[in-house]
Amino acid sequence: VNDDRLLQKFDLNTAVLDGALAPDDKKAYVGCLNGIIYMIDFTSGEVRELGCHGKELESSGIKCIEYCHASKLFVSAGWDQKMKLWDPRAMNACANSINLKGRAYSMSISGNRIVLATSGRYVTIHDIRKIATPEQVRESSLQNMLRIVRCFPNGHGYAVGSCEGRIAIEYFDVSEQIQRKKYAFKAHRKVESGRQIMYPINALAFHPKYGTFASGGSDGVVNQWDGFAKKRICHYPPSQTSISYLDYNVDGTLLAVAQSFMGEFKDRNSPRDSIIVRKISEEECRKKSK
């Protein structure tokens, strides 16, 4: 990153929808549009198939893949309405397969909890130790398609963003006292010529130290939020195209921002896809004083 230099490149001849690093950072497992999970070995350059979700191209894309440190398994979920657990060390890598409520759009893991945002505006919460039956199935308070879900760093809940430019803050604890804390707010919207324009929220990333979070949308804007104080901390100048992904490094001093045209505006020219690595100061991500 410091040298702005490409180290390796692997051509899979299909679109890559998501990826996850192995714990030792020497391998990556990527889910693709053709329904296949590939293992990429950075040391040897080997690329091989780990497994697949299906054979029908239009319905088998693997939209999400993450590593679960608690179980030492990879978890994938796709448009075939299935979630699968994978152990790359085993001869038969697929350890389990579970039917979902709908097509998987986003996934986040916290401890033993797997949280999935699916079609039909459902959020399903699974305990990987009791994977056969969901712990909870919720219909989101957001009124349109869900795009992204991310768990709080403290494991108490999650944030979910939708295509209408709103973010909801939700909690796992179903007690009435805790559920009173949940809320939703407008995040990526603006008014032009008297009309309100709503931009899809494509990315969320929680700061590993402060628990604040960044959101990125199709308006090209990245905002920093203190979700618990219900305040925006700051926002950055908009890019010329959509923000497609966000992620912090391990200590929260760097924020990777992926910029990529996502087809929302047919009449707009899109610049070249890019990744910007932004240095983050404490003032940009620290919680606001009450």
Side-chain angles (χ1 to χ4, degrees), residues 108-128:
S108 185
I109 296 177
S110 176
N112 286 301
R113 276 198 172 105
I114 304 167
V115 182
L116 281 153
T118 73
S119 57
R121 298 173 28 251
Y122 288 107
V123 175
T124 62
I125 303 163
H126 304 257
D127 187 326
I128 200 166

PDB file of all heavy atoms in Angstrom, residues 108-128:
ATOM      1  N   SER A 108     -22.419 -11.028   8.109  1.00  0.00           N
ATOM      2  CA  SER A 108     -21.434 -10.576   9.081  1.00  0.00           C
ATOM      3  C   SER A 108     -21.390 -11.584  10.219  1.00  0.00           C
ATOM      4  O   SER A 108     -22.420 -12.161  10.592  1.00  0.00           O
ATOM      5  CB  SER A 108     -21.804  -9.183   9.609  1.00  0.00           C
ATOM      6  OG  SER A 108     -20.799  -8.674  10.464  1.00  0.00           O
ATOM      7  N   ILE A 109     -20.203 -11.816  10.774  1.00  0.00           N
ATOM      8  CA  ILE A 109     -20.015 -12.803  11.834  1.00  0.00           C
ATOM      9  C   ILE A 109     -19.434 -12.124  13.060  1.00  0.00           C
ATOM     10  O   ILE A 109     -18.498 -11.332  12.962  1.00  0.00           O
ATOM     11  CB  ILE A 109     -19.102 -13.953  11.373  1.00  0.00           C
ATOM     12  CG1 ILE A 109     -19.758 -14.715  10.221  1.00  0.00           C
ATOM     13  CG2 ILE A 109     -18.786 -14.904  12.525  1.00  0.00           C
ATOM     14  CD1 ILE A 109     -18.906 -15.834   9.649  1.00  0.00           C
ATOM     15  N   SER A 110     -19.998 -12.437  14.222  1.00  0.00           N
ATOM     16  CA  SER A 110     -19.503 -11.937  15.495  1.00  0.00           C
ATOM     17  C   SER A 110     -19.499 -13.091  16.490  1.00  0.00           C
ATOM     18  O   SER A 110     -20.568 -13.569  16.885  1.00  0.00           O
ATOM     19  CB  SER A 110     -20.390 -10.794  16.014  1.00  0.00           C
ATOM     20  OG  SER A 110     -19.968 -10.364  17.298  1.00  0.00           O
ATOM     21  N   GLY A 111     -18.319 -13.565  16.877  1.00  0.00           N
ATOM     22  CA  GLY A 111     -18.238 -14.721  17.765  1.00  0.00           C
ATOM     23  C   GLY A 111     -18.839 -15.940  17.097  1.00  0.00           C
ATOM     24  O   GLY A 111     -18.433 -16.331  16.001  1.00  0.00           O
ATOM     25  N   ASN A 112     -19.839 -16.529  17.738  1.00  0.00           N
ATOM     26  CA  ASN A 112     -20.535 -17.689  17.172  1.00  0.00           C
ATOM     27  C   ASN A 112     -21.778 -17.300  16.376  1.00  0.00           C
ATOM     28  O   ASN A 112     -22.471 -18.178  15.862  1.00  0.00           O
ATOM     29  CB  ASN A 112     -20.940 -18.655  18.294  1.00  0.00           C
ATOM     30  CG  ASN A 112     -19.753 -19.418  18.851  1.00  0.00           C
ATOM     31  OD1 ASN A 112     -19.061 -20.132  18.125  1.00  0.00           O
ATOM     32  ND2 ASN A 112     -19.497 -19.269  20.148  1.00  0.00           N
ATOM     33  N   ARG A 113     -22.065 -15.999  16.287  1.00  0.00           N
ATOM     34  CA  ARG A 113     -23.266 -15.542  15.587  1.00  0.00           C
ATOM     35  C   ARG A 113     -22.965 -15.220  14.129  1.00  0.00           C
ATOM     36  O   ARG A 113     -22.007 -14.522  13.810  1.00  0.00           O
ATOM     37  CB  ARG A 113     -23.851 -14.308  16.256  1.00  0.00           C
ATOM     38  CG  ARG A 113     -24.766 -14.617  17.441  1.00  0.00           C
ATOM     39  CD  ARG A 113     -25.629 -13.414  17.750  1.00  0.00           C
ATOM     40  NE  ARG A 113     -26.630 -13.728  18.741  1.00  0.00           N
ATOM     41  CZ  ARG A 113     -26.569 -13.333  20.016  1.00  0.00           C
ATOM     42  NH1 ARG A 113     -25.547 -12.611  20.428  1.00  0.00           N
ATOM     43  NH2 ARG A 113     -27.530 -13.652  20.864  1.00  0.00           N
ATOM     44  N   ILE A 114     -23.847 -15.702  13.260  1.00  0.00           N
ATOM     45  CA  ILE A 114     -23.815 -15.373  11.844  1.00  0.00           C
ATOM     46  C   ILE A 114     -25.081 -14.579  11.530  1.00  0.00           C
ATOM     47  O   ILE A 114     -26.191 -15.047  11.807  1.00  0.00           O
ATOM     48  CB  ILE A 114     -23.779 -16.636  10.965  1.00  0.00           C
ATOM     49  CG1 ILE A 114     -22.598 -17.533  11.344  1.00  0.00           C
ATOM     50  CG2 ILE A 114     -23.730 -16.270   9.488  1.00  0.00           C
ATOM     51  CD1 ILE A 114     -22.676 -18.915  10.734  1.00  0.00           C
ATOM     52  N   VAL A 115     -24.921 -13.385  10.979  1.00  0.00           N
ATOM     53  CA  VAL A 115     -26.063 -12.527  10.657  1.00  0.00           C
ATOM     54  C   VAL A 115     -26.124 -12.360   9.143  1.00  0.00           C
ATOM     55  O   VAL A 115     -25.135 -11.977   8.515  1.00  0.00           O
ATOM     56  CB  VAL A 115     -25.943 -11.159  11.347  1.00  0.00           C
ATOM     57  CG1 VAL A 115     -27.161 -10.295  11.029  1.00  0.00           C
ATOM     58  CG2 VAL A 115     -25.787 -11.325  12.855  1.00  0.00           C
ATOM     59  N   LEU A 116     -27.289 -12.651   8.577  1.00  0.00           N
ATOM     60  CA  LEU A 116     -27.475 -12.582   7.132  1.00  0.00           C
ATOM     61  C   LEU A 116     -28.615 -11.637   6.774  1.00  0.00           C
ATOM     62  O   LEU A 116     -29.688 -11.674   7.389  1.00  0.00           O
ATOM     63  CB  LEU A 116     -27.805 -13.968   6.575  1.00  0.00           C
ATOM     64  CG  LEU A 116     -26.624 -14.922   6.393  1.00  0.00           C
ATOM     65  CD1 LEU A 116     -27.081 -16.349   6.499  1.00  0.00           C
ATOM     66  CD2 LEU A 116     -25.949 -14.674   5.057  1.00  0.00           C
ATOM     67  N   ALA A 117     -28.366 -10.769   5.792  1.00  0.00           N
ATOM     68  CA  ALA A 117     -29.426  -9.961   5.196  1.00  0.00           C
ATOM     69  C   ALA A 117     -29.821 -10.623   3.886  1.00  0.00           C
ATOM     70  O   ALA A 117     -28.972 -10.885   3.036  1.00  0.00           O
ATOM     71  CB  ALA A 117     -28.932  -8.542   4.949  1.00  0.00           C
ATOM     72  N   THR A 118     -31.108 -10.925   3.729  1.00  0.00           N
ATOM     73  CA  THR A 118     -31.565 -11.685   2.568  1.00  0.00           C
ATOM     74  C   THR A 118     -32.677 -10.945   1.833  1.00  0.00           C
ATOM     75  O   THR A 118     -33.151  -9.898   2.270  1.00  0.00           O
ATOM     76  CB  THR A 118     -32.076 -13.080   2.987  1.00  0.00           C
ATOM     77  OG1 THR A 118     -33.349 -12.947   3.643  1.00  0.00           O
ATOM     78  CG2 THR A 118     -31.093 -13.782   3.916  1.00  0.00           C
ATOM     79  N   SER A 119     -33.086 -11.522   0.725  1.00  0.00           N
ATOM     80  CA  SER A 119     -34.233 -10.990  -0.004  1.00  0.00           C
ATOM     81  C   SER A 119     -35.473 -11.068   0.886  1.00  0.00           C
ATOM     82  O   SER A 119     -35.519 -11.828   1.859  1.00  0.00           O
ATOM     83  CB  SER A 119     -34.450 -11.787  -1.289  1.00  0.00           C
ATOM     84  OG  SER A 119     -34.626 -13.163  -1.003  1.00  0.00           O
ATOM     85  N   GLY A 120     -36.479 -10.265   0.538  1.00  0.00           N
ATOM     86  CA  GLY A 120     -37.684 -10.212   1.363  1.00  0.00           C
ATOM     87  C   GLY A 120     -37.513  -9.344   2.594  1.00  0.00           C
ATOM     88  O   GLY A 120     -38.369  -9.344   3.472  1.00  0.00           O
ATOM     89  N   ARG A 121     -36.350  -8.619   2.685  1.00  0.00           N
ATOM     90  CA  ARG A 121     -36.034  -7.738   3.818  1.00  0.00           C
ATOM     91  C   ARG A 121     -35.905  -8.510   5.125  1.00  0.00           C
ATOM     92  O   ARG A 121     -36.173  -7.982   6.203  1.00  0.00           O
ATOM     93  CB  ARG A 121     -37.105  -6.640   3.966  1.00  0.00           C
ATOM     94  CG  ARG A 121     -37.208  -5.723   2.768  1.00  0.00           C
ATOM     95  CD  ARG A 121     -38.365  -4.740   2.836  1.00  0.00           C
ATOM     96  NE  ARG A 121     -38.748  -4.378   4.173  1.00  0.00           N
ATOM     97  CZ  ARG A 121     -39.887  -4.778   4.754  1.00  0.00           C
ATOM     98  NH1 ARG A 121     -40.733  -5.558   4.102  1.00  0.00           N
ATOM     99  NH2 ARG A 121     -40.178  -4.388   5.978  1.00  0.00           N
ATOM    100  N   TYR A 122     -35.449  -9.754   5.037  1.00  0.00           N
ATOM    101  CA  TYR A 122     -35.258 -10.561   6.246  1.00  0.00           C
ATOM    102  C   TYR A 122     -33.819 -10.453   6.745  1.00  0.00           C
ATOM    103  O   TYR A 122     -32.867 -10.369   5.956  1.00  0.00           O
ATOM    104  CB  TYR A 122     -35.584 -12.022   5.978  1.00  0.00           C
ATOM    105  CG  TYR A 122     -37.061 -12.292   5.810  1.00  0.00           C
ATOM    106  CD1 TYR A 122     -37.598 -12.571   4.553  1.00  0.00           C
ATOM    107  CD2 TYR A 122     -37.930 -12.247   6.898  1.00  0.00           C
ATOM    108  CE1 TYR A 122     -38.951 -12.810   4.382  1.00  0.00           C
ATOM    109  CE2 TYR A 122     -39.289 -12.484   6.741  1.00  0.00           C
ATOM    110  CZ  TYR A 122     -39.791 -12.767   5.482  1.00  0.00           C
ATOM    111  OH  TYR A 122     -41.132 -12.993   5.325  1.00  0.00           O
ATOM    112  N   VAL A 123     -33.687 -10.463   8.058  1.00  0.00           N
ATOM    113  CA  VAL A 123     -32.394 -10.630   8.726  1.00  0.00           C
ATOM    114  C   VAL A 123     -32.487 -11.908   9.536  1.00  0.00           C
ATOM    115  O   VAL A 123     -33.352 -12.039  10.408  1.00  0.00           O
ATOM    116  CB  VAL A 123     -32.053  -9.438   9.635  1.00  0.00           C
ATOM    117  CG1 VAL A 123     -30.754  -9.711  10.402  1.00  0.00           C
ATOM    118  CG2 VAL A 123     -31.934  -8.160   8.832  1.00  0.00           C
ATOM    119  N   THR A 124     -31.625 -12.880   9.222  1.00  0.00           N
ATOM    120  CA  THR A 124     -31.627 -14.142   9.968  1.00  0.00           C
ATOM    121  C   THR A 124     -30.356 -14.224  10.801  1.00  0.00           C
ATOM    122  O   THR A 124     -29.261 -13.899  10.333  1.00  0.00           O
ATOM    123  CB  THR A 124     -31.723 -15.358   9.026  1.00  0.00           C
ATOM    124  OG1 THR A 124     -30.582 -15.383   8.159  1.00  0.00           O
ATOM    125  CG2 THR A 124     -32.979 -15.290   8.175  1.00  0.00           C
ATOM    126  N   ILE A 125     -30.525 -14.655  12.044  1.00  0.00           N
ATOM    127  CA  ILE A 125     -29.432 -14.731  13.002  1.00  0.00           C
ATOM    128  C   ILE A 125     -29.252 -16.180  13.405  1.00  0.00           C
ATOM    129  O   ILE A 125     -30.195 -16.836  13.867  1.00  0.00           O
ATOM    130  CB  ILE A 125     -29.732 -13.850  14.235  1.00  0.00           C
ATOM    131  CG1 ILE A 125     -29.978 -12.399  13.792  1.00  0.00           C
ATOM    132  CG2 ILE A 125     -28.604 -13.929  15.251  1.00  0.00           C
ATOM    133  CD1 ILE A 125     -30.667 -11.552  14.846  1.00  0.00           C
ATOM    134  N   HIS A 126     -28.037 -16.704  13.193  1.00  0.00           N
ATOM    135  CA  HIS A 126     -27.745 -18.116  13.438  1.00  0.00           C
ATOM    136  C   HIS A 126     -26.631 -18.256  14.472  1.00  0.00           C
ATOM    137  O   HIS A 126     -25.695 -17.457  14.490  1.00  0.00           O
ATOM    138  CB  HIS A 126     -27.299 -18.821  12.150  1.00  0.00           C
ATOM    139  CG  HIS A 126     -28.259 -18.709  11.019  1.00  0.00           C
ATOM    140  ND1 HIS A 126     -29.101 -19.728  10.637  1.00  0.00           N
ATOM    141  CD2 HIS A 126     -28.525 -17.674  10.166  1.00  0.00           C
ATOM    142  CE1 HIS A 126     -29.828 -19.342   9.604  1.00  0.00           C
ATOM    143  NE2 HIS A 126     -29.504 -18.104   9.302  1.00  0.00           N
ATOM    144  N   ASP A 127     -26.726 -19.271  15.311  1.00  0.00           N
ATOM    145  CA  ASP A 127     -25.627 -19.670  16.189  1.00  0.00           C
ATOM    146  C   ASP A 127     -24.930 -20.839  15.504  1.00  0.00           C
ATOM    147  O   ASP A 127     -25.552 -21.876  15.257  1.00  0.00           O
ATOM    148  CB  ASP A 127     -26.163 -20.096  17.554  1.00  0.00           C
ATOM    149  CG  ASP A 127     -25.054 -20.372  18.570  1.00  0.00           C
ATOM    150  OD1 ASP A 127     -23.980 -20.867  18.160  1.00  0.00           O
ATOM    151  OD2 ASP A 127     -25.256 -20.125  19.766  1.00  0.00           O
ATOM    152  N   ILE A 128     -23.645 -20.683  15.179  1.00  0.00           N
ATOM    153  CA  ILE A 128     -22.943 -21.700  14.401  1.00  0.00           C
ATOM    154  C   ILE A 128     -22.856 -23.024  15.153  1.00  0.00           C
ATOM    155  O   ILE A 128     -22.687 -24.080  14.539  1.00  0.00           O
ATOM    156  CB  ILE A 128     -21.536 -21.196  13.991  1.00  0.00           C
ATOM    157  CG1 ILE A 128     -21.014 -22.003  12.789  1.00  0.00           C
ATOM    158  CG2 ILE A 128     -20.575 -21.220  15.173  1.00  0.00           C
ATOM    159  CD1 ILE A 128     -19.814 -21.387  12.114  1.00  0.00           C
TER     160      ILE A 128
END
